[in-house]
Amino acid sequence: MLTGRRMGMTLYVKVAATGHIEPVEVEWDWSVYDVKQYIEGIVGCKAKDQMLLCDGQEMEGQLCQSGVGSETEVVLVTHAFDISLYGGAETFVAVHNNNLVSWGKHNIKLYNVKYPVLSQHSLIVVKTNLHVLITEGDHEVQLHDASEVVRTFNLQTGALLVKSDGSLLLWPTTPSLLPFTTITKPIVDVAVTHGSCTTAAALLSDGTVFTCGNPLFGGDSSSVQEALRGIKKVVGFGSGFAAITAASRVVVWGMGCALDQQLRAVLTDVVDLTTTYGAVAARHACGKVTVWGSPDYGGRPDPGAAAFLSSSIVKVYSSHAAFCALKEGGLVAAWGRTDKGGTIPQFLAPVIQGVVNVVSTYGAFAVLMGDGQVACWGSKHFGGEPGVECRTSLTRGVASIAANNKAFAAVKRTGEVLAWGNPAHGGNCRAAQDAFAQLLDIS
């Protein structure tokens, strides 16, 4: 520990994990390592595996050669920072070193976590001993018959749990979905309709589809059963399902988004499907996108978006009533209802370039760019406008972003965590930082 030296300058040290800022008096000719060692005794962070950042750049060598002046703010962050961020219906979850914390509707702290599943009402956690913990509000339920769970499928209202012996367990025991527990073939994926979370379709390993729930909303697939062979993907929309067939065509059942003869002829070589509540977007192998469904839910792109969708699209994302397409090279276009993110504001359009990830809430989109900047648009009630407490921090250095139905969260390369949107759904910066500080304490 360096003591007894005359202090020549003041640094404002911000601990990335907590956001706490501490003024620290140092000598201008110290090395950066000396500074970190000295800080250890003041802010309680170990010097090992830590780095100091100034303006997003790591400080090295001598302090006097780093360009840092007196009263400069520097950021203290762990080198090997590795955090996984998840968003669910009303909660955010951060996992680090198999430990978990959450904020929003569910506020818990857990050890020895394998992975979380966030349904509409519950936080379902599979632990490293393959037991399952269900958290509903402030109540925790240990499923004694859920030992050795090896896979989970999100059913929005709960989850379908697959045990090591192949048997299936439904949580909660929704009557309309109980037929799922009779499936004997391995499940590849599960889709749920947006309008009725008690209607679902399971894609099985042999390419067939098992459906149950409300017959009107696609729970009865008998009318298209012959087409449901060799299926590659199934997605749900408001009151029905769409699937990619073995021939890379599309089949639809339930109510809405019906295919006419012209659409059937166009929908060839389809490789992906994305849905809003009332529309479907099909991406073709050539990069073109075909959209159909209700205009109120993005089913009719405006001319500018239609031209954008003619080639080189790599992924399509959706909110409740709008789409956002990502093109090769990192450009994006949006269409659909403006209050659900269907219009990118003019002041943002020139800024959004080099996009590497897109996430959405019920009514807004957020994009992460390659330079670490985040931009978002849509309803402010769903995170379309970042709060003043994190707006500046989103202009650089962001490593990852996540979303739930009403809020966004981001982790910066410095380890700082940010959140915005509906505070009750996790869009609270202070709550996010407090949860993150707990995560580092237990990791």
Side-chain angles (χ1 to χ4, degrees):
M1 182 64 63
L2 299 174
T3 58
R5 294 191 181 184
R6 183 176 60 83
M7 306 303 171
M9 61 190 297
T10 301
L11 295 180
Y12 288 93
V13 179
K14 181 177 183 179
V15 181
T18 64
H20 175 70
I21 298 177
E22 181 78 28
V24 177
E25 302 253 340
V26 297
E27 180 69 26
W28 71 278
D29 61 352
W30 285 2
S31 69
V32 172
Y33 177 79
D34 289 340
V35 174
K36 290 190 294 183
Q37 191 179 36
Y38 183 72
I39 290 172
E40 175 183 347
I42 297 176
V43 299
C45 290
K46 298 291 185 182
K48 183 181 179 181
D49 294 329
Q50 302 284 343
M51 64 178 172
L52 283 174
L53 300 181
C54 181
D55 291 331
Q57 301 296 316
E58 183 175 2
M59 295 168 57
E60 297 178 315
Q62 296 297 120
L63 191 60
C64 61
Q65 298 173 339
S66 65
V68 174
S70 186
E71 299 189 357
T72 299
E73 181 180 299
V74 297
V75 180
L76 182 69
V77 61
T78 303
H79 264 297
F81 199 81
D82 182 20
I83 179 174
S84 296
L85 190 62
Y86 303 87
E90 301 170 330
T91 304
F92 285 108
V93 168
V95 179
H96 179 52
N97 287 343
N98 297 120
N99 298 317
L100 174 151
V101 295
S102 66
W103 69 95
K105 177 182 177 181
H106 306 286
N107 295 277
I108 64 171
K109 180 169 60 176
L110 289 175
Y111 306 90
N112 302 319
V113 168
K114 189 175 182 184
Y115 61 88
V117 178
L118 293 104
S119 70
Q120 191 170 27
H121 303 295
S122 305
L123 168 57
I124 301 162
V125 179
V126 178
K127 306 190 76 176
T128 52
N129 59 6
L130 298 183
H131 283 65
V132 174
L133 181 72
I134 310 290
T135 300
E136 292 188 312
D138 296 326
H139 304 288
E140 295 182 1
V141 180
Q142 178 75 49
L143 293 188
H144 297 293
D145 57 345
S147 59
E148 299 184 7
V149 168
V150 294
R151 195 171 184 191
T152 56
F153 294 97
N154 194 340
L155 299 178
Q156 300 305 317
T157 55
L160 184 67
L161 312 175
V162 183
K163 299 176 68 173
S164 59
D165 62 1
S167 62
L168 301 172
L169 179 66
L170 188 66
W171 175 271
T173 53
T174 308
S176 64
L177 297 181
L178 275 176
F180 266 166
T181 60
T182 66
I183 296 174
T184 57
K185 298 173 183 176
I187 299 175
V188 176
D189 200 6
V190 174
V192 182
T193 56
H194 297 193
S196 170
C197 292
T198 56
T199 303
L203 175 59
L204 307 183
S205 59
D206 62 356
T208 59
V209 175
F210 181 94
T211 58
C212 62
N214 190 324
L216 295 177
F217 289 175
D220 179 1
S221 56
S222 58
S223 63
V224 293
Q225 201 59 49
E226 288 301 313
L228 296 180
R229 301 180 187 276
I231 297 300
K232 301 175 183 179
K233 182 171 184 175
V234 180
V235 294
F237 50 89
S239 53
F241 297 95
I244 302 175
T245 69
S248 298
R249 291 183 173 272
V250 176
V251 59
V252 175
W253 69 99
M255 296 177 62
C257 298
L259 300 176
D260 58 24
Q261 187 173 356
Q262 183 178 1
L263 268 173
R264 292 180 193 277
V266 169
L267 290 171
T268 60
D269 295 322
V270 174
V271 294
D272 199 12
L273 297 172
T274 305
T275 64
T276 61
Y277 186 88
V280 183
R283 184 169 62 87
H284 302 259
C286 64
K288 179 183 177 181
V289 171
T290 300
V291 186
W292 72 98
S294 169
D296 291 335
Y297 294 96
R300 188 179 299 164
D302 59 81
F308 187 88
L309 296 173
S310 63
S311 66
S312 305
I313 303 300
V314 295
K315 183 70 176 175
V316 180
Y317 305 84
S318 66
S319 66
H320 177 71
F323 290 99
C324 178
L326 174 62
K327 180 169 283 205
E328 289 178 5
L331 295 177
V332 296
W335 68 98
R337 281 173 53 175
T338 297
D339 65 339
K340 296 295 184 287
T343 302
I344 300 175
Q346 289 186 349
F347 75 90
L348 273 182
V351 176
I352 301 176
Q353 300 180 33
V355 172
V356 295
N357 192 22
V358 181
V359 295
S360 64
T361 61
Y362 185 87
F365 291 97
V367 297
L368 173 63
M369 289 166 264
D371 62 0
Q373 183 178 183
V374 170
C376 52
W377 67 91
S379 170
K380 65 179 181 180
H381 302 295
F382 296 98
E385 296 179 16
V388 293
E389 68 274 13
C390 63
R391 189 175 300 153
T392 302
S393 296
L394 291 172
T395 59
R396 62 183 177 186
V398 176
S400 64
I401 54 177
N404 59 36
N405 62 340
K406 290 188 178 181
F408 294 106
V411 176
K412 300 193 68 172
R413 284 191 279 266
T414 60
E416 182 181 5
V417 63
L418 306 167
W420 65 100
N422 189 310
H425 290 241
N428 183 309
C429 249
R430 185 69 263 174
Q433 290 166 358
D434 289 346
F436 194 69
Q438 291 184 55
L439 182 61
L440 290 192
D441 284 343
I442 64 177
S443 296

